[in-house]
Amino acid sequence: MDQAPGSPDTPQAGSGLPGCYRHPDRETGVSCVRCERPICPDCMVEASVGFQCPDCARGGSGTWRAPAASAPRTLAGGLHTADPKLVTKILLGINAALWIAVLATGDGLVGRLDMLGLAFDPGTAEVVGVADGEWYRLLTGAFLHEEPVHIAFNMLGLWWLGAPLEAALGRVRYLALYLLSALGGSALSYLLAAQNQPSLGASGAIFGLLGATAVLMRRMNQDMRPVLVLLALNLVFTFTWADIAWQAHIGGLVVGAAVAYGMVHAPPGRRALVQRLTCVAVLLAILAVVWVRTLQLTG
């Protein structure tokens, strides 16, 4: 089958890397974030996230273009916005507001919203927790903090990791990534931690953002060493510091990496479908874990 010159699928000889669509003799591992054609250093036009080809940077005067590329899109297909950090700011605000509420009300709010598998309410002697049908705890617990150091580290991580990811993925995809990572961390805690062990904090979601950052940097052929060092340090802290719910960290990390992989590697022609199916599959896996654990505790 004939292929159009400059198509991303044009075969090239050599190391196996594609050739630049304008300079086929120059192999490159970088692609335009809008149309995904391979581009060499001389053709790279720096964008807010990654690089664009000269045609996309000029507004699309080239002969080959990806479908629905009339509006600027992020690497994952999201729309560029005037404030690419809006969702991150809202998440920061929600976490901060609940922390202030906890300070004002004491442990009562924590006891009603933290991630708890199954326990007895000391006031009524009734069974409470996720296994008793309070599934909302899987999400609300991921927005609760008690200690200033705890929320400070998590919110720094949310800002440093979340803002670039929101710009790269777009608001809706980024929010889905964050919430699924939070649920994934809670689900693994529910499955593996002691049934009466409370758990709270955004650490599962933050580890999800860390896993997603690694996937995104690999997709953009960027230097992986900084994010791998950061990941290694966080894993060391996870398994060496006391009173850390390692299950939430690992659950969030795995879910975040899986969701991000589906988002940034989805083929342009079926991008939205693949991304939605990825999120639905991950959500179903989380629900399956919660269902299995609930049967263990109540069966």
Side-chain angles (χ1 to χ4, degrees), residues 4-295:
S7 166
D9 298 324
T10 302
Q12 300 292 331
S15 65
L17 292 174
C20 172
Y21 84 102
R22 298 176 72 204
H23 307 97
D25 58 324
R26 302 179 188 178
E27 295 181 342
T28 179
V30 180
S31 300
C32 172
V33 295
R34 289 185 62 187
C35 68
E36 299 197 346
R37 286 181 291 186
I39 47 178
C40 69
D42 289 341
C43 296
M44 294 177 190
V45 179
E46 189 171 359
S48 58
V49 177
F51 298 94
Q52 293 183 2
C53 67
D55 292 337
C56 290
R58 287 195 301 267
S61 59
T63 57
W64 183 87
R65 294 192 51 82
S70 56
R73 294 276 175 173
T74 68
L75 175 65
L79 289 172
H80 288 288
T81 57
D83 185 358
K85 303 176 183 178
L86 178 63
V87 175
T88 299
K89 293 174 183 177
I90 293 173
L91 291 172
L92 282 165
I94 293 173
N95 279 277
L98 283 175
W99 180 60
I100 293 172
V102 168
L103 293 180
T105 61
D107 293 336
L109 183 62
V110 173
R112 290 192 296 272
L113 298 179
D114 66 344
M115 219 303 291
L116 188 68
L118 183 66
F120 286 98
D121 185 331
T124 63
E126 294 180 353
V127 174
V128 296
V130 177
D132 191 45
E134 298 177 349
W135 282 33
Y136 62 85
R137 290 177 179 266
L138 295 167
L139 187 59
T140 57
F143 286 90
L144 288 176
H145 299 83
E146 286 186 294
E147 300 297 329
V149 174
H150 190 199
I151 189 172
F153 274 108
N154 278 343
M155 294 305 98
L156 282 174
L158 174 56
W159 182 253
W160 287 338
L161 298 171
L165 278 172
E166 182 179 350
L169 301 179
R171 290 175 180 172
V172 175
R173 293 165 178 81
Y174 168 69
L175 182 60
L177 169 71
Y178 185 91
L179 295 179
L180 286 171
S181 298
L183 288 173
S186 295
L188 195 62
S189 289
Y190 181 50
L191 178 66
L192 300 179
Q195 63 189 45
N196 61 346
Q197 174 182 315
S199 177
L200 71 163
S203 300
I206 304 306
F207 265 75
L209 300 185
L210 184 55
T213 299
V215 171
L216 178 63
M217 292 182 67
R218 181 67 182 87
R219 171 67 175 80
M220 297 177 66
N221 294 308
Q222 296 183 354
D223 185 3
M224 295 289 295
R225 287 173 292 184
V227 70
L228 291 178
V229 169
L230 181 62
L231 176 58
L233 288 174
N234 277 276
L235 288 175
V236 169
F237 293 148
T238 294
F239 291 103
T240 57
W241 281 18
D243 299 324
I244 287 183
W246 64 266
Q247 300 93 340
H249 291 193
I250 300 303
L253 178 67
V254 171
V255 168
V259 172
Y261 189 91
M263 287 185 175
V264 302
H265 287 279
R270 298 193 299 268
R271 177 179 285 144
L273 175 62
V274 171
Q275 291 172 344
R276 288 170 185 152
L277 289 177
T278 298
C279 292
V280 170
V282 170
L283 180 59
L284 290 176
I286 291 171
L287 293 176
V289 168
V290 174
W291 181 67
V292 168
R293 180 57 169 164
T294 299
L295 289 180

